[in-house]
Amino acid sequence: MDRFEVIKGDITKQNVDAIVNAANHSLLGGGGVDGAIHRAAGPQLLGECKKLNGCRTGEAKITKGYKLPAKWVIHTVGPVWRGGNREEDTLLGACYRNSLELAVRNGGIKTVAFPSISTGAYLFPVDRAAGIAVQEIIRFLEINASIEKVLMVCFDDQTYRVYQEAAINLTRPQ
Ligand code: ADP
């Protein structure tokens, strides 16, 4: 699957049509990747987010990218890990699927970059999250031709290794 790639880097620096933000319910900014995206986009991003009335876990909303290289930011809210029996897997899969569906609906978005949703402050185990993320993205790309490229942008070496491994395992010809 050459339309999917795992890279190491900073999502705020990616030259793609849309980057995905691992936001919280309020959509009013936070730490981690959310804080980095708001800092790089500038205060106008918060201004637009304030009008969105928050976002439910697993769902996604879109704003402009303002000072980011990306034209759009898709905000999705990952599940907080609570041991694995609270629909965490389903909700994490929904984040990836709903973000990509929103990108398609918005029109003109051909390249999308994701961070590792929920595996920071929300404590979702990275191995498990990577399997779900890669599977959802690949499945989506297989049935949707309008998205040309999806990048999984990993911030640290460990996360990068885990997602690379998941990508190799899930994209290997059967
Ligand atoms: P969550 O609350 O969904 O767990 P976090 O922002 O705490 O979100 O962490 C999600 C992932 O994003 C972590 O792997 C973290 O290292 C990573 N991250 C933090 N800053 C950036 C960035 N600038 N670009 C890409 N990934 C980032």
Side-chain angles (χ1 to χ4, degrees), residues 44-93:
Q44 284 179 295
L45 178 60
L46 182 60
E48 187 175 353
C49 283
K50 279 181 181 162
K51 299 176 193 157
L52 296 178
N53 280 316
C55 184
R56 292 200 188 96
T57 305
E59 296 184 358
K61 293 195 176 178
I62 192 164
T63 65
K64 288 187 265 184
Y66 299 98
K67 287 157 78 181
L68 288 162
K71 188 169 181 201
W72 304 99
V73 180
I74 295 169
H75 306 263
T76 188
V77 182
V80 175
W81 180 256
R82 291 198 174 92
N85 293 317
R86 306 282 195 90
E87 307 281 302
E88 291 97 327
D89 291 354
T90 309
L91 290 165
L92 186 65

mmCIF file of all heavy atoms in Angstrom, residues 44-93:
data_model
loop_
_atom_site.group_PDB
_atom_site.id
_atom_site.type_symbol
_atom_site.label_atom_id
_atom_site.label_comp_id
_atom_site.label_asym_id
_atom_site.label_seq_id
_atom_site.Cartn_x
_atom_site.Cartn_y
_atom_site.Cartn_z
ATOM 1 N N GLN A 44 -6.085 32.364 15.933
ATOM 2 C CA GLN A 44 -7.325 32.268 15.130
ATOM 3 C C GLN A 44 -7.910 30.862 15.165
ATOM 4 O O GLN A 44 -9.121 30.684 15.037
ATOM 5 C CB GLN A 44 -7.046 32.656 13.681
ATOM 6 C CG GLN A 44 -6.895 34.145 13.467
ATOM 7 C CD GLN A 44 -6.599 34.424 12.008
ATOM 8 O OE1 GLN A 44 -5.548 34.040 11.490
ATOM 9 N NE2 GLN A 44 -7.526 35.057 11.337
ATOM 10 N N LEU A 45 -7.053 29.859 15.359
ATOM 11 C CA LEU A 45 -7.555 28.479 15.424
ATOM 12 C C LEU A 45 -8.470 28.314 16.635
ATOM 13 O O LEU A 45 -9.562 27.758 16.527
ATOM 14 C CB LEU A 45 -6.396 27.470 15.483
ATOM 15 C CG LEU A 45 -6.830 26.002 15.598
ATOM 16 C CD1 LEU A 45 -7.678 25.569 14.410
ATOM 17 C CD2 LEU A 45 -5.615 25.086 15.717
ATOM 18 N N LEU A 46 -8.034 28.832 17.783
ATOM 19 C CA LEU A 46 -8.863 28.745 18.992
ATOM 20 C C LEU A 46 -10.186 29.481 18.776
ATOM 21 O O LEU A 46 -11.253 29.014 19.178
ATOM 22 C CB LEU A 46 -8.115 29.309 20.199
ATOM 23 C CG LEU A 46 -8.859 29.235 21.533
ATOM 24 C CD1 LEU A 46 -9.189 27.794 21.890
ATOM 25 C CD2 LEU A 46 -8.028 29.881 22.642
ATOM 26 N N GLY A 47 -10.103 30.621 18.107
ATOM 27 C CA GLY A 47 -11.308 31.398 17.814
ATOM 28 C C GLY A 47 -12.331 30.568 17.036
ATOM 29 O O GLY A 47 -13.523 30.585 17.364
ATOM 30 N N GLU A 48 -11.881 29.832 16.040
ATOM 31 C CA GLU A 48 -12.812 29.006 15.252
ATOM 32 C C GLU A 48 -13.295 27.803 16.078
ATOM 33 O O GLU A 48 -14.482 27.444 16.018
ATOM 34 C CB GLU A 48 -12.152 28.541 13.944
ATOM 35 C CG GLU A 48 -13.164 27.832 13.060
ATOM 36 C CD GLU A 48 -12.633 27.439 11.677
ATOM 37 O OE1 GLU A 48 -11.507 27.820 11.296
ATOM 38 O OE2 GLU A 48 -13.389 26.724 10.978
ATOM 39 N N CYS A 49 -12.384 27.214 16.859
ATOM 40 C CA CYS A 49 -12.754 26.043 17.677
ATOM 41 C C CYS A 49 -13.842 26.388 18.691
ATOM 42 O O CYS A 49 -14.700 25.562 19.001
ATOM 43 C CB CYS A 49 -11.530 25.487 18.403
ATOM 44 S SG CYS A 49 -10.440 24.535 17.328
ATOM 45 N N LYS A 50 -13.806 27.606 19.205
ATOM 46 C CA LYS A 50 -14.801 28.039 20.202
ATOM 47 C C LYS A 50 -16.220 27.972 19.659
ATOM 48 O O LYS A 50 -17.184 27.868 20.417
ATOM 49 C CB LYS A 50 -14.501 29.468 20.658
ATOM 50 C CG LYS A 50 -13.419 29.539 21.716
ATOM 51 C CD LYS A 50 -13.176 30.972 22.141
ATOM 52 C CE LYS A 50 -12.080 31.047 23.185
ATOM 53 N NZ LYS A 50 -11.523 32.404 23.330
ATOM 54 N N LYS A 51 -16.356 28.081 18.347
ATOM 55 C CA LYS A 51 -17.697 28.079 17.730
ATOM 56 C C LYS A 51 -18.222 26.675 17.448
ATOM 57 O O LYS A 51 -19.342 26.523 16.958
ATOM 58 C CB LYS A 51 -17.658 28.857 16.408
ATOM 59 C CG LYS A 51 -17.267 30.308 16.578
ATOM 60 C CD LYS A 51 -17.171 30.960 15.203
ATOM 61 C CE LYS A 51 -16.486 32.313 15.300
ATOM 62 N NZ LYS A 51 -15.888 32.704 14.009
ATOM 63 N N LEU A 52 -17.418 25.649 17.721
ATOM 64 C CA LEU A 52 -17.792 24.295 17.300
ATOM 65 C C LEU A 52 -18.582 23.511 18.345
ATOM 66 O O LEU A 52 -19.045 22.407 18.075
ATOM 67 C CB LEU A 52 -16.536 23.508 16.896
ATOM 68 C CG LEU A 52 -15.779 24.045 15.686
ATOM 69 C CD1 LEU A 52 -14.527 23.219 15.424
ATOM 70 C CD2 LEU A 52 -16.663 24.052 14.443
ATOM 71 N N ASN A 53 -18.702 24.031 19.555
ATOM 72 C CA ASN A 53 -19.436 23.326 20.624
ATOM 73 C C ASN A 53 -18.859 21.971 20.991
ATOM 74 O O ASN A 53 -19.607 21.033 21.278
ATOM 75 C CB ASN A 53 -20.908 23.154 20.239
ATOM 76 C CG ASN A 53 -21.675 24.418 20.498
ATOM 77 O OD1 ASN A 53 -21.506 25.041 21.556
ATOM 78 N ND2 ASN A 53 -22.486 24.822 19.532
ATOM 79 N N GLY A 54 -17.552 21.852 20.963
ATOM 80 C CA GLY A 54 -16.902 20.622 21.396
ATOM 81 C C GLY A 54 -17.071 19.481 20.412
ATOM 82 O O GLY A 54 -17.597 19.659 19.304
ATOM 83 N N CYS A 55 -16.623 18.311 20.827
ATOM 84 C CA CYS A 55 -16.648 17.136 19.948
ATOM 85 C C CYS A 55 -16.714 15.887 20.815
ATOM 86 O O CYS A 55 -16.058 15.812 21.852
ATOM 87 C CB CYS A 55 -15.371 17.137 19.100
ATOM 88 S SG CYS A 55 -15.271 15.829 17.869
ATOM 89 N N ARG A 56 -17.522 14.899 20.383
ATOM 90 C CA ARG A 56 -17.637 13.650 21.150
ATOM 91 C C ARG A 56 -16.479 12.713 20.836
ATOM 92 O O ARG A 56 -15.912 12.754 19.741
ATOM 93 C CB ARG A 56 -18.937 12.935 20.794
ATOM 94 C CG ARG A 56 -20.179 13.657 21.261
ATOM 95 C CD ARG A 56 -21.343 12.669 21.324
ATOM 96 N NE ARG A 56 -22.582 13.371 21.588
ATOM 97 C CZ ARG A 56 -23.420 13.752 20.632
ATOM 98 N NH1 ARG A 56 -23.161 13.481 19.375
ATOM 99 N NH2 ARG A 56 -24.522 14.398 20.944
ATOM 100 N N THR A 57 -16.191 11.819 21.744
ATOM 101 C CA THR A 57 -15.152 10.810 21.530
ATOM 102 C C THR A 57 -15.471 9.997 20.274
ATOM 103 O O THR A 57 -16.606 9.559 20.087
ATOM 104 C CB THR A 57 -15.060 9.870 22.755
ATOM 105 O OG1 THR A 57 -14.865 10.658 23.917
ATOM 106 C CG2 THR A 57 -13.912 8.890 22.609
ATOM 107 N N GLY A 58 -14.468 9.838 19.420
ATOM 108 C CA GLY A 58 -14.630 9.059 18.188
ATOM 109 C C GLY A 58 -15.128 9.866 17.004
ATOM 110 O O GLY A 58 -15.100 9.385 15.874
ATOM 111 N N GLU A 59 -15.593 11.096 17.266
ATOM 112 C CA GLU A 59 -16.096 11.935 16.172
ATOM 113 C C GLU A 59 -15.027 12.941 15.734
ATOM 114 O O GLU A 59 -13.957 13.023 16.345
ATOM 115 C CB GLU A 59 -17.396 12.616 16.598
ATOM 116 C CG GLU A 59 -18.473 11.564 16.847
ATOM 117 C CD GLU A 59 -19.844 12.132 17.174
ATOM 118 O OE1 GLU A 59 -19.999 13.364 17.263
ATOM 119 O OE2 GLU A 59 -20.752 11.311 17.341
ATOM 120 N N ALA A 60 -15.325 13.711 14.687
ATOM 121 C CA ALA A 60 -14.332 14.634 14.135
ATOM 122 C C ALA A 60 -14.994 15.914 13.629
ATOM 123 O O ALA A 60 -16.134 15.884 13.154
ATOM 124 C CB ALA A 60 -13.584 13.956 12.990
ATOM 125 N N LYS A 61 -14.281 17.024 13.763
ATOM 126 C CA LYS A 61 -14.743 18.316 13.236
ATOM 127 C C LYS A 61 -13.576 19.004 12.529
ATOM 128 O O LYS A 61 -12.418 18.759 12.870
ATOM 129 C CB LYS A 61 -15.266 19.192 14.375
ATOM 130 C CG LYS A 61 -16.547 18.617 15.004
ATOM 131 C CD LYS A 61 -17.282 19.604 15.872
ATOM 132 C CE LYS A 61 -18.598 18.983 16.370
ATOM 133 N NZ LYS A 61 -19.337 19.895 17.258
ATOM 134 N N ILE A 62 -13.899 19.861 11.572
ATOM 135 C CA ILE A 62 -12.833 20.469 10.760
ATOM 136 C C ILE A 62 -12.777 21.987 10.917
ATOM 137 O O ILE A 62 -13.816 22.643 11.087
ATOM 138 C CB ILE A 62 -13.004 20.053 9.276
ATOM 139 C CG1 ILE A 62 -11.761 20.408 8.452
ATOM 140 C CG2 ILE A 62 -14.269 20.642 8.669
ATOM 141 C CD1 ILE A 62 -11.704 19.684 7.112
ATOM 142 N N THR A 63 -11.555 22.505 10.910
ATOM 143 C CA THR A 63 -11.336 23.959 10.883
ATOM 144 C C THR A 63 -10.258 24.260 9.840
ATOM 145 O O THR A 63 -9.618 23.347 9.326
ATOM 146 C CB THR A 63 -10.809 24.506 12.229
ATOM 147 O OG1 THR A 63 -9.497 23.945 12.459
ATOM 148 C CG2 THR A 63 -11.733 24.187 13.388
ATOM 149 N N LYS A 64 -10.046 25.531 9.626
ATOM 150 C CA LYS A 64 -8.925 25.933 8.784
ATOM 151 C C LYS A 64 -7.611 25.741 9.541
ATOM 152 O O LYS A 64 -7.605 25.575 10.770
ATOM 153 C CB LYS A 64 -9.086 27.406 8.382
ATOM 154 C CG LYS A 64 -10.203 27.590 7.368
ATOM 155 C CD LYS A 64 -10.259 29.008 6.846
ATOM 156 C CE LYS A 64 -11.266 29.782 7.656
ATOM 157 N NZ LYS A 64 -11.472 31.142 7.181
ATOM 158 N N GLY A 65 -6.489 25.806 8.828
ATOM 159 C CA GLY A 65 -5.173 25.581 9.437
ATOM 160 C C GLY A 65 -4.435 26.865 9.808
ATOM 161 O O GLY A 65 -3.381 26.817 10.442
ATOM 162 N N TYR A 66 -4.955 28.008 9.361
ATOM 163 C CA TYR A 66 -4.360 29.316 9.670
ATOM 164 C C TYR A 66 -2.860 29.334 9.369
ATOM 165 O O TYR A 66 -2.496 29.099 8.228
ATOM 166 C CB TYR A 66 -4.718 29.738 11.096
ATOM 167 C CG TYR A 66 -6.219 29.863 11.217
ATOM 168 C CD1 TYR A 66 -6.986 28.833 11.758
ATOM 169 C CD2 TYR A 66 -6.886 30.962 10.692
ATOM 170 C CE1 TYR A 66 -8.381 28.907 11.805
ATOM 171 C CE2 TYR A 66 -8.276 31.051 10.734
ATOM 172 C CZ TYR A 66 -9.006 30.023 11.297
ATOM 173 O OH TYR A 66 -10.375 30.108 11.314
ATOM 174 N N LYS A 67 -1.988 29.524 10.358
ATOM 175 C CA LYS A 67 -0.563 29.680 10.056
ATOM 176 C C LYS A 67 0.186 28.363 9.815
ATOM 177 O O LYS A 67 1.397 28.352 9.592
ATOM 178 C CB LYS A 67 0.115 30.468 11.178
ATOM 179 C CG LYS A 67 -0.262 31.957 11.134
ATOM 180 C CD LYS A 67 -0.099 32.664 12.459
ATOM 181 C CE LYS A 67 1.317 33.009 12.780
ATOM 182 N NZ LYS A 67 1.393 33.673 14.115
ATOM 183 N N LEU A 68 -0.532 27.265 9.874
ATOM 184 C CA LEU A 68 0.103 25.969 9.604
ATOM 185 C C LEU A 68 0.353 25.808 8.101
ATOM 186 O O LEU A 68 -0.380 26.388 7.293
ATOM 187 C CB LEU A 68 -0.828 24.839 10.041
ATOM 188 C CG LEU A 68 -1.007 24.605 11.532
ATOM 189 C CD1 LEU A 68 -2.260 23.776 11.776
ATOM 190 C CD2 LEU A 68 0.220 23.917 12.122
ATOM 191 N N PRO A 69 1.329 24.981 7.736
ATOM 192 C CA PRO A 69 1.462 24.655 6.301
ATOM 193 C C PRO A 69 0.227 23.917 5.778
ATOM 194 O O PRO A 69 -0.116 24.051 4.602
ATOM 195 C CB PRO A 69 2.697 23.741 6.239
ATOM 196 C CG PRO A 69 3.343 23.787 7.578
ATOM 197 C CD PRO A 69 2.370 24.369 8.559
ATOM 198 N N ALA A 70 -0.440 23.170 6.646
ATOM 199 C CA ALA A 70 -1.660 22.452 6.241
ATOM 200 C C ALA A 70 -2.825 23.428 6.148
ATOM 201 O O ALA A 70 -2.988 24.300 7.006
ATOM 202 C CB ALA A 70 -1.984 21.353 7.250
ATOM 203 N N LYS A 71 -3.660 23.266 5.123
ATOM 204 C CA LYS A 71 -4.785 24.179 4.924
ATOM 205 C C LYS A 71 -5.906 23.913 5.928
ATOM 206 O O LYS A 71 -6.669 24.805 6.273
ATOM 207 C CB LYS A 71 -5.307 23.995 3.490
ATOM 208 C CG LYS A 71 -6.350 25.005 3.095
ATOM 209 C CD LYS A 71 -6.638 24.947 1.611
ATOM 210 C CE LYS A 71 -7.680 26.019 1.272
ATOM 211 N NZ LYS A 71 -8.359 25.732 0.020
ATOM 212 N N TRP A 72 -6.016 22.636 6.382
ATOM 213 C CA TRP A 72 -7.109 22.238 7.262
ATOM 214 C C TRP A 72 -6.600 21.500 8.490
ATOM 215 O O TRP A 72 -5.570 20.835 8.428
ATOM 216 C CB TRP A 72 -8.084 21.300 6.525
ATOM 217 C CG TRP A 72 -8.636 21.871 5.253
ATOM 218 C CD1 TRP A 72 -8.194 21.609 3.980
ATOM 219 C CD2 TRP A 72 -9.708 22.813 5.119
ATOM 220 N NE1 TRP A 72 -8.936 22.319 3.067
ATOM 221 C CE2 TRP A 72 -9.871 23.063 3.740
ATOM 222 C CE3 TRP A 72 -10.548 23.448 6.042
ATOM 223 C CZ2 TRP A 72 -10.840 23.936 3.251
ATOM 224 C CZ3 TRP A 72 -11.516 24.318 5.558
ATOM 225 C CH2 TRP A 72 -11.660 24.557 4.177
ATOM 226 N N VAL A 73 -7.365 21.614 9.591
ATOM 227 C CA VAL A 73 -7.118 20.777 10.775
ATOM 228 C C VAL A 73 -8.405 19.996 11.057
ATOM 229 O O VAL A 73 -9.482 20.586 11.172
ATOM 230 C CB VAL A 73 -6.735 21.605 12.021
ATOM 231 C CG1 VAL A 73 -6.490 20.674 13.218
ATOM 232 C CG2 VAL A 73 -5.491 22.460 11.762
ATOM 233 N N ILE A 74 -8.273 18.689 11.124
ATOM 234 C CA ILE A 74 -9.400 17.830 11.503
ATOM 235 C C ILE A 74 -9.195 17.456 12.967
ATOM 236 O O ILE A 74 -8.184 16.851 13.327
ATOM 237 C CB ILE A 74 -9.463 16.587 10.595
ATOM 238 C CG1 ILE A 74 -9.774 17.019 9.156
ATOM 239 C CG2 ILE A 74 -10.510 15.591 11.106
ATOM 240 C CD1 ILE A 74 -9.614 15.939 8.110
ATOM 241 N N HIS A 75 -10.121 17.883 13.813
ATOM 242 C CA HIS A 75 -10.009 17.652 15.260
ATOM 243 C C HIS A 75 -10.810 16.404 15.607
ATOM 244 O O HIS A 75 -12.016 16.343 15.316
ATOM 245 C CB HIS A 75 -10.566 18.850 16.039
ATOM 246 C CG HIS A 75 -9.938 20.153 15.637
ATOM 247 N ND1 HIS A 75 -8.899 20.726 16.330
ATOM 248 C CD2 HIS A 75 -10.190 20.971 14.578
ATOM 249 C CE1 HIS A 75 -8.552 21.849 15.734
ATOM 250 N NE2 HIS A 75 -9.321 22.025 14.668
ATOM 251 N N THR A 76 -10.161 15.437 16.215
ATOM 252 C CA THR A 76 -10.884 14.244 16.657
ATOM 253 C C THR A 76 -10.535 13.990 18.117
ATOM 254 O O THR A 76 -9.474 14.415 18.592
ATOM 255 C CB THR A 76 -10.547 13.026 15.760
ATOM 256 O OG1 THR A 76 -11.406 11.933 16.105
ATOM 257 C CG2 THR A 76 -9.101 12.587 15.903
ATOM 258 N N VAL A 77 -11.445 13.342 18.837
ATOM 259 C CA VAL A 77 -11.225 13.099 20.265
ATOM 260 C C VAL A 77 -11.061 11.599 20.480
ATOM 261 O O VAL A 77 -12.007 10.823 20.277
ATOM 262 C CB VAL A 77 -12.400 13.635 21.110
ATOM 263 C CG1 VAL A 77 -12.131 13.417 22.597
ATOM 264 C CG2 VAL A 77 -12.632 15.114 20.810
ATOM 265 N N GLY A 78 -9.851 11.204 20.843
ATOM 266 C CA GLY A 78 -9.571 9.791 21.097
ATOM 267 C C GLY A 78 -10.115 9.366 22.451
ATOM 268 O O GLY A 78 -10.397 10.197 23.316
ATOM 269 N N PRO A 79 -10.262 8.039 22.639
ATOM 270 C CA PRO A 79 -10.729 7.540 23.940
ATOM 271 C C PRO A 79 -9.608 7.577 24.972
ATOM 272 O O PRO A 79 -8.449 7.341 24.644
ATOM 273 C CB PRO A 79 -11.115 6.094 23.627
ATOM 274 C CG PRO A 79 -10.218 5.708 22.481
ATOM 275 C CD PRO A 79 -10.042 6.957 21.667
ATOM 276 N N VAL A 80 -9.977 7.854 26.219
ATOM 277 C CA VAL A 80 -9.035 7.701 27.333
ATOM 278 C C VAL A 80 -8.990 6.203 27.630
ATOM 279 O O VAL A 80 -10.038 5.541 27.681
ATOM 280 C CB VAL A 80 -9.541 8.473 28.582
ATOM 281 C CG1 VAL A 80 -8.632 8.219 29.784
ATOM 282 C CG2 VAL A 80 -9.638 9.968 28.289
ATOM 283 N N TRP A 81 -7.799 5.644 27.777
ATOM 284 C CA TRP A 81 -7.664 4.210 28.081
ATOM 285 C C TRP A 81 -8.157 3.943 29.499
ATOM 286 O O TRP A 81 -7.696 4.560 30.456
ATOM 287 C CB TRP A 81 -6.199 3.796 27.940
ATOM 288 C CG TRP A 81 -5.976 2.345 28.231
ATOM 289 C CD1 TRP A 81 -5.445 1.805 29.358
ATOM 290 C CD2 TRP A 81 -6.280 1.247 27.348
ATOM 291 N NE1 TRP A 81 -5.399 0.439 29.246
ATOM 292 C CE2 TRP A 81 -5.909 0.061 28.026
ATOM 293 C CE3 TRP A 81 -6.831 1.141 26.065
ATOM 294 C CZ2 TRP A 81 -6.061 -1.200 27.458
ATOM 295 C CZ3 TRP A 81 -6.983 -0.108 25.503
ATOM 296 C CH2 TRP A 81 -6.604 -1.259 26.196
ATOM 297 N N ARG A 82 -9.133 3.011 29.607
ATOM 298 C CA ARG A 82 -9.658 2.664 30.939
ATOM 299 C C ARG A 82 -9.600 1.159 31.162
ATOM 300 O O ARG A 82 -10.478 0.587 31.790
ATOM 301 C CB ARG A 82 -11.103 3.144 31.079
ATOM 302 C CG ARG A 82 -11.240 4.668 31.122
ATOM 303 C CD ARG A 82 -12.599 5.068 31.686
ATOM 304 N NE ARG A 82 -12.691 6.507 31.878
ATOM 305 C CZ ARG A 82 -13.172 7.352 30.974
ATOM 306 N NH1 ARG A 82 -13.592 6.901 29.814
ATOM 307 N NH2 ARG A 82 -13.241 8.649 31.243
ATOM 308 N N GLY A 83 -8.583 0.529 30.566
ATOM 309 C CA GLY A 83 -8.398 -0.902 30.781
ATOM 310 C C GLY A 83 -8.786 -1.758 29.586
ATOM 311 O O GLY A 83 -8.466 -2.940 29.545
ATOM 312 N N GLY A 84 -9.499 -1.208 28.626
ATOM 313 C CA GLY A 84 -9.776 -1.936 27.390
ATOM 314 C C GLY A 84 -11.194 -2.453 27.228
ATOM 315 O O GLY A 84 -11.552 -2.950 26.165
ATOM 316 N N ASN A 85 -12.014 -2.332 28.258
ATOM 317 C CA ASN A 85 -13.396 -2.838 28.160
ATOM 318 C C ASN A 85 -14.444 -1.739 28.067
ATOM 319 O O ASN A 85 -15.621 -1.966 28.326
ATOM 320 C CB ASN A 85 -13.716 -3.741 29.358
ATOM 321 C CG ASN A 85 -12.890 -5.012 29.314
ATOM 322 O OD1 ASN A 85 -12.739 -5.604 28.243
ATOM 323 N ND2 ASN A 85 -12.335 -5.409 30.443
ATOM 324 N N ARG A 86 -13.998 -0.560 27.748
ATOM 325 C CA ARG A 86 -14.936 0.570 27.639
ATOM 326 C C ARG A 86 -15.026 1.088 26.207
ATOM 327 O O ARG A 86 -15.051 2.290 25.980
ATOM 328 C CB ARG A 86 -14.489 1.716 28.570
ATOM 329 C CG ARG A 86 -14.288 1.306 30.003
ATOM 330 C CD ARG A 86 -15.617 1.184 30.727
ATOM 331 N NE ARG A 86 -15.407 1.133 32.163
ATOM 332 C CZ ARG A 86 -15.366 2.208 32.956
ATOM 333 N NH1 ARG A 86 -15.541 3.407 32.442
ATOM 334 N NH2 ARG A 86 -15.163 2.061 34.243
ATOM 335 N N GLU A 87 -15.041 0.136 25.270
ATOM 336 C CA GLU A 87 -15.178 0.506 23.850
ATOM 337 C C GLU A 87 -13.979 1.280 23.325
ATOM 338 O O GLU A 87 -14.077 1.963 22.292
ATOM 339 C CB GLU A 87 -16.435 1.355 23.600
ATOM 340 C CG GLU A 87 -17.718 0.752 24.112
ATOM 341 C CD GLU A 87 -18.259 -0.317 23.187
ATOM 342 O OE1 GLU A 87 -18.506 -0.013 22.022
ATOM 343 O OE2 GLU A 87 -18.400 -1.466 23.642
ATOM 344 N N GLU A 88 -12.843 1.180 24.010
ATOM 345 C CA GLU A 88 -11.694 1.979 23.584
ATOM 346 C C GLU A 88 -11.262 1.663 22.147
ATOM 347 O O GLU A 88 -10.976 2.560 21.364
ATOM 348 C CB GLU A 88 -10.496 1.778 24.525
ATOM 349 C CG GLU A 88 -10.682 2.359 25.919
ATOM 350 C CD GLU A 88 -11.148 1.313 26.915
ATOM 351 O OE1 GLU A 88 -11.895 0.402 26.523
ATOM 352 O OE2 GLU A 88 -10.752 1.417 28.092
ATOM 353 N N ASP A 89 -11.208 0.343 21.808
ATOM 354 C CA ASP A 89 -10.752 -0.041 20.461
ATOM 355 C C ASP A 89 -11.695 0.516 19.385
ATOM 356 O O ASP A 89 -11.245 1.089 18.394
ATOM 357 C CB ASP A 89 -10.714 -1.571 20.323
ATOM 358 C CG ASP A 89 -9.624 -2.217 21.170
ATOM 359 O OD1 ASP A 89 -8.824 -1.482 21.774
ATOM 360 O OD2 ASP A 89 -9.593 -3.458 21.216
ATOM 361 N N THR A 90 -12.985 0.336 19.603
ATOM 362 C CA THR A 90 -13.985 0.802 18.632
ATOM 363 C C THR A 90 -13.912 2.310 18.461
ATOM 364 O O THR A 90 -13.968 2.828 17.343
ATOM 365 C CB THR A 90 -15.398 0.412 19.136
ATOM 366 O OG1 THR A 90 -15.365 -0.972 19.456
ATOM 367 C CG2 THR A 90 -16.457 0.683 18.107
ATOM 368 N N LEU A 91 -13.786 3.002 19.579
ATOM 369 C CA LEU A 91 -13.754 4.470 19.523
ATOM 370 C C LEU A 91 -12.482 4.975 18.848
ATOM 371 O O LEU A 91 -12.522 5.944 18.087
ATOM 372 C CB LEU A 91 -13.886 5.052 20.938
ATOM 373 C CG LEU A 91 -15.272 4.878 21.570
ATOM 374 C CD1 LEU A 91 -15.220 5.150 23.068
ATOM 375 C CD2 LEU A 91 -16.295 5.790 20.891
ATOM 376 N N LEU A 92 -11.367 4.300 19.095
ATOM 377 C CA LEU A 92 -10.130 4.731 18.430
ATOM 378 C C LEU A 92 -10.237 4.502 16.929
ATOM 379 O O LEU A 92 -9.871 5.382 16.130
ATOM 380 C CB LEU A 92 -8.916 3.985 19.010
ATOM 381 C CG LEU A 92 -7.571 4.484 18.479
ATOM 382 C CD1 LEU A 92 -7.294 5.926 18.905
ATOM 383 C CD2 LEU A 92 -6.427 3.578 18.907
ATOM 384 N N GLY A 93 -10.755 3.360 16.529
ATOM 385 C CA GLY A 93 -10.961 3.098 15.099
ATOM 386 C C GLY A 93 -11.862 4.153 14.474
ATOM 387 O O GLY A 93 -11.600 4.628 13.369
#
